[in-house]
Amino acid sequence: MSELERQRWLAGLALVVALPLPITGIATWPFVLPYMVMAGWLLTRLRPVAPVPTWLENVLAPLVLLAVVAAGGVQFGVLRPVAHLAVLVAAVRLPGCASPRRARRTLVITAIIGVAGIASSTHPSLIAYLLAVLALGTVAVGRETLLGLRTAEQPLPSRLAWPPARLVVATVVLAVLVGAPLFAMLPRLRSPFAGTAIGSGGTSGFRNEVTLLGSGGFAMAEH
């Protein structure tokens, strides 16, 4: 796989895992937007982008930490600061992801962002989203593997440079068959707070009173 194609695959994956973040409220737009802009910019480049200079990364590191603390730190639980930190670090580390060495690190932080984005969601559409992400990841890994087997003496035909559709479907089905029982059996990691997509606060538990004043609506209470 060429460096440009690897960059585009990783940038596209970065955009996909960012979709649930502002919807579930785990990360807020001021943090997610720079990350998505960087990923979108890399996706449209016609050549690989060089990494950010080390000295600039060192300058940005304390600023990233200050931004996470200013957004509330762990006041609203653990997931929000982890997601905020991950997207800002990824926005800095995405440039240069075309090289094989940095690609592995980019995949790790992208996986962290993906887990944070779905950790607090219980919406049924999450199933379709996970299946789509899994299929996309399988295609990317298959493409990387097949192109790695190609040699200058024996180049692969274009149709053989992509994983077969049956393999992709079988991989997704197998992952679901293995993952569903594990999800049911493993203990849940509970947090006292869950994020909210409206405002910067957190929510915990249930209450009879439903207040919509903060979003321009009204308030009603059940007695």
Side-chain angles (χ1 to χ4, degrees):
M1 179 180 290
S2 67
E3 290 192 346
L4 179 59
E5 184 177 359
R6 184 181 296 109
Q7 175 179 282
R8 288 176 173 173
W9 272 109
L10 291 173
L13 185 60
L15 285 175
V16 170
V17 300
L19 292 178
L21 291 173
I23 299 174
T24 59
I26 292 302
T28 53
W29 278 112
F31 290 84
V32 179
L33 192 57
Y35 168 73
M36 297 185 70
V37 168
M38 176 60 72
W41 181 71
L42 291 175
L43 188 63
T44 60
R45 294 299 87 193
L46 300 179
R47 61 183 60 186
V49 177
V52 174
T54 303
W55 67 266
L56 183 56
E57 289 186 353
N58 294 335
V59 170
L60 292 175
L63 299 179
V64 168
L65 292 177
L66 288 176
V68 173
V69 173
V74 296
Q75 180 181 0
F76 306 117
V78 178
L79 282 177
R80 176 163 288 180
V82 168
H84 282 167
L85 180 62
V87 293
L88 289 185
V89 171
V92 177
R93 299 288 296 177
L94 272 174
C97 66
S99 67
R101 182 177 179 181
R102 288 179 68 98
R104 290 190 291 269
R105 298 176 181 177
T106 302
L107 281 174
V108 171
I109 194 169
T110 301
I112 294 174
I113 295 172
V115 171
I118 65 175
S120 66
S121 177
T122 57
H123 197 277
S125 62
L126 180 65
I127 298 176
Y129 170 78
L130 289 175
L131 294 178
V133 172
L134 182 56
L136 180 64
T138 303
V139 172
V141 172
R143 173 76 169 169
E144 173 82 17
T145 303
L146 291 172
L147 291 182
L149 298 175
R150 182 178 58 181
T151 63
E153 294 77 16
Q154 294 180 338
L156 288 175
S158 58
R159 64 182 181 85
L160 297 180
W162 293 89
R166 290 178 296 178
L167 177 62
V168 176
V169 173
T171 302
V172 172
V173 172
L174 180 62
V176 172
L177 293 178
V178 173
L182 289 177
F183 176 80
M185 291 186 297
L186 291 176
R188 301 292 178 265
L189 297 177
R190 300 186 181 277
S191 174
F193 297 97
T196 173
I198 301 176
S200 60
T203 59
S204 177
F206 300 91
R207 59 186 300 181
N208 289 333
E209 183 180 0
V210 180
T211 302
L212 300 178
L213 290 175
S215 57
F218 56 92
M220 63 181 179
E222 178 184 331
H223 300 288

